[in-house]
Amino acid sequence: MNFRTIEEFDIARKRVVIRVDLNVPIRDEVILNTARVKAIIPTIEYCLRQHAEVVLLSHLGRPKGTCDPKFTLQPVAKELERFLNHPVEFVEDWRTWLRRSADSEHVLDSRVQLVENIRFEPGEESNSNVLGEELASLGDLYVMEAFGTLHRAHASTYKAVQAARQVGIGFLLAQELRMLSLAMVSPQRPLVVVIGGSKVSSKLKVVQHLLTQADTILIGGGMANTFLLAMKHTIGTSLVEIEFLEEVSEMLSSGRIKVPHDVMVCDGSLDEHGKSIHRLVDEVKAQEMIVDIGPDTARCYTKLIKQAGTVIWNGPMGVFEYDQFGEGTRVVGKAIGESAAFTLAGGGETIAAIDHNDLSQQLDYISTGGGAFLEFIQGATLPGISALRAHACNNDRCRN
Ligand code: 3PG
């Protein structure tokens, strides 16, 4: 996908509207993970160097079209200011602001503004034409930079792109598309995919699609239980989705899926007090619950990761939040971090597992996408990309 980047436009003394994804975890006004804030800084700094005025649009949480102070972007404006080392104005009432800006001829060079949560607008999630047009008209150029929100057909990710006269993409989105294509479209072989997480249902399409591309898929986490059951192993009281046994059996018949041959089960409660006990998959007792892959499986996965040319990682291998159930995720994560392969990870809980094990500096690329990353690697067409593509085609820039 070859979209026009922000560098291909003359933005000097122009007003640039940038749709970013600043949907970050916040507790007591403290931002718990700043990766999405840091990731958009180069695009904003570029605009400032070009003497452009910047208007940032984002959502936060799911306020469902009403103005709920719980979801204000105000703390994010402060964090942005810290990373940019430049003032960021917080625009609560962007319609009044729009009228004022329209009245003024002057673009305010080096001004950075963050508009209040766009999901406070009822028209955002309903993908309203009117709201899309309003947002597109806020500036001279509409820049898409919100990779994490491209799987949503909302007014700021879809209709505004359709309505804007000039549309470009920012450095973060360009990098996301480049890195994901590197891993998915033209990977160095062998392509090894590590998939974990609790539910097979949320990863079914990912595994099915990746089976068409990958040389080996390593399965861990709660979703491995459904595979183990399909192979007639006992899984005790472990989480399982029996309605997917047929699909899982079909996937296993490919011969390219590896599942754990040893596991850790929980003795006691599934919290910091519980103990983990090692079991071979045939030895899991009726009352036991699988909470992690076992050490021998982790060794075997490590070996396959070492031989890989490309590794894609999505999902933890166990209940990593508790150290005694997190060894599988730690060992596999470390192997990915140390691998000479091109390594790519993404997805909300994967990012949490990477942070938990302090691995963020060791991977080649960590996507800022959660659901968008998952949909991309399952081969889905993201609505935000369709809108960008349609805009490019309508403007004779159909190079894709
Ligand atoms: C995300 O965090 O995955 C994106 O910001 C999208 O958020 P949503 O799932 O609330 O649409």
Side-chain angles (χ1 to χ4, degrees), residues 353-364:
I354 288 170
D355 285 349
H356 188 85
N357 291 294
D358 217 4
L359 293 167
S360 60
Q361 296 306 313
Q362 294 177 39
L363 275 86
D364 288 312

Side-chain angles (χ1 to χ4, degrees), residues 82 121 136 177 181 213 237 242 253 291 307 314-315 341 347 361 393 397:
R82 206 167 64 78
E121 294 290 331
L177 297 177
S181 302
Q213 323 263 325
T237 61
I242 42 173
S253 67
V291 286
Q307 293 161 359
N314 174 263
Q361 296 306 313
C393 289
R397 298 275 314 186

Side-chain angles (χ1 to χ4, degrees), residues 12-227:
R13 305 199 192 284
K14 303 261 172 66
R15 192 171 290 128
V16 180
V17 181
I18 314 178
R19 180 31 162 126
V20 290
D21 187 340
L22 291 171
N23 187 25
V24 292
I26 305 181
R27 196 188 306 131
D28 299 328
E29 299 200 5
V30 176
I31 294 165
L32 305 175
N33 185 318
T34 54
R36 284 181 172 175
V37 182
K38 278 192 239 170
I40 59 166
I41 298 296
T43 297
I44 304 173
E45 283 180 339
Y46 173 77
C47 292
L48 293 177
R49 283 198 301 277
Q50 298 298 310
H51 304 283
E53 178 180 335
V54 176
V55 180
L56 300 169
L57 303 174
S58 178
H59 70 284
L60 176 71
R62 293 176 177 169
K64 299 258 171 273
T66 56
C67 180
D68 181 345
K70 209 167 66 208
F71 296 109
T72 178
L73 274 166
Q74 200 139 24
V76 185
K78 294 203 186 97
E79 194 72 0
L80 248 183
E81 205 164 70
R82 206 167 64 78
F83 278 108
L84 266 179
N85 201 13
H86 184 94
V88 174
E89 288 169 54
F90 184 64
V91 182
E92 236 178 294
D93 178 0
W94 61 273
R95 285 200 176 82
T96 310
W97 172 90
L98 172 65
R99 273 195 299 276
R100 251 189 248 134
S101 306
D103 289 347
S104 124
E105 289 285 285
H106 303 294
V107 164
L108 293 176
D109 172 3
S110 302
R111 189 178 185 193
V112 180
Q113 298 137 103
L114 174 62
V115 170
E116 179 58 294
N117 195 340
I118 202 63
R119 284 194 186 165
F120 286 178
E121 294 290 331
E124 168 64 356
E125 290 189 59
S126 63
N127 199 13
S128 136
N129 267 325
V130 177
L131 181 61
E133 279 164 18
E134 270 186 288
L135 297 175
S137 70
L138 288 177
D140 304 289
L141 172 67
Y142 198 83
V143 175
M144 182 48 71
E145 184 69 321
F147 174 73
T149 327
L150 286 185
H151 59 315
R152 305 290 182 217
H154 291 173
S156 64
T157 56
Y158 196 91
K159 289 289 182 193
V161 172
Q162 263 186 348
R165 204 172 51 81
Q166 297 205 92
V167 174
I169 63 170
F171 297 129
L172 170 64
L173 180 50
Q175 188 181 28
E176 291 272 7
L177 297 177
R178 204 169 41 245
M179 292 300 170
L180 269 72
S181 302
L182 206 61
M184 297 284 298
V185 181
S186 49
Q188 287 287 325
R189 301 256 167 207
L191 168 59
V192 173
V193 179
V194 180
I195 297 273
S198 52
K199 288 186 168 172
V200 117
S201 50
S202 58
K203 303 287 168 81
L204 199 67
K205 285 190 184 151
V206 175
V207 180
Q208 277 167 340
H209 180 70
L210 287 173
L211 264 177
T212 64
Q213 323 263 325
D215 297 290
T216 309
I217 299 186
L218 312 177
I219 304 279
M223 63 181 279
N225 304 334
T226 307
F227 286 84

Side-chain angles (χ1 to χ4, degrees), residues 327-338:
E327 193 57 12
T329 305
R330 198 186 63 74
V331 172
V332 167
K334 186 163 170 280
I336 298 171
E338 289 172 356

